[in-house]
Structure formats: structure tokens, C-alpha cells
Amino acid sequence: EMYWTLRRQQHRSMIPRHLPCSEYAEEFGVEEYYRCGSKSGSMPGVRADVGIVQTPRRSWALAVMVKGEPDFNTGDNHPFNDLIADMSKLIFDAWGR
């Protein structure tokens, strides 16, 4: 059940942001080579995301929290979201392709 909770997450601005996976493919019967499920959270000055990434080569779990000065920017393009997304892409490029 936890796996499906992660896979259905629709806020995908951190770990899955730059990864070639979809939260809908499995649900609609589309074959998928890369899968990612995550659960994100935020509060002023903090962004966090945990996730499972699966590729034909291997799978891994990732948990990231970034903390800085409190702010009230709740948008998807927050610099912390970008940092987590970029880090996730670097790991994917190194391990998943």
C-alpha cells in the first residue's frame, strides 16, 4: 500500500521532476521502464522528499531534506525544489541508465 501511495503522488517537483517516469502509466496499462514514487513536504524554509526509483538496471530509495532561511514561497520552482530535483537527476544518470 505504501508503494502505491508513493507512485500516485501528483506533486512531482523534486525527486521525480527530471526523471523519465509517469505517475499514470501503470494505472493506464502503459509499459514503463522507469518508475518513481515519492512523497514530498514543505514548510517555511524547508523542503523534503522521499522516494523510490526503479530502473531496469537497479532500484534505490532516496530521502532528502534541505533547510534554509524561512520563506513563504510555496511554488514548485523554489530553489530547494530545484536542488533536490537536480541531485535526483545526477543519481539517476549515474545509476539508472
Side-chain angles (χ1 to χ4, degrees):
E1 189 60 34
M2 183 55 92
Y3 170 77
W4 287 109
T5 299
L6 294 174
R7 292 274 295 137
R8 288 190 296 262
Q9 168 70 280
Q10 293 178 353
H11 299 286
R12 301 176 66 81
S13 65
M14 290 189 243
I15 290 174
R17 183 179 200 164
H18 302 305
L19 305 186
C21 52
S22 168
E23 69 272 32
Y24 302 114
E26 224 166 347
E27 193 173 344
F28 289 101
V30 175
E31 188 172 2
E32 194 174 19
Y33 298 104
Y34 305 103
R35 295 178 181 168
C36 181
S38 68
K39 181 65 179 107
S40 57
S42 65
M43 55 188 281
V46 177
R47 295 295 183 281
D49 203 8
V50 298
I52 298 170
V53 180
Q54 299 173 308
T55 74
R57 289 184 64 197
R58 62 181 56 108
S59 299
W60 60 91
L62 181 62
V64 184
M65 178 183 280
V66 180
K67 181 179 179 202
E69 291 296 317
D71 63 24
F72 296 99
N73 175 356
T74 59
D76 285 344
N77 293 318
H78 190 280
F80 293 172
N81 290 23
D82 295 339
L83 177 64
I84 293 170
D86 291 346
M87 185 179 70
S88 174
K89 179 76 163 93
L90 287 170
I91 294 168
F92 179 85
D93 288 344
W95 293 356
R97 293 207 183 259

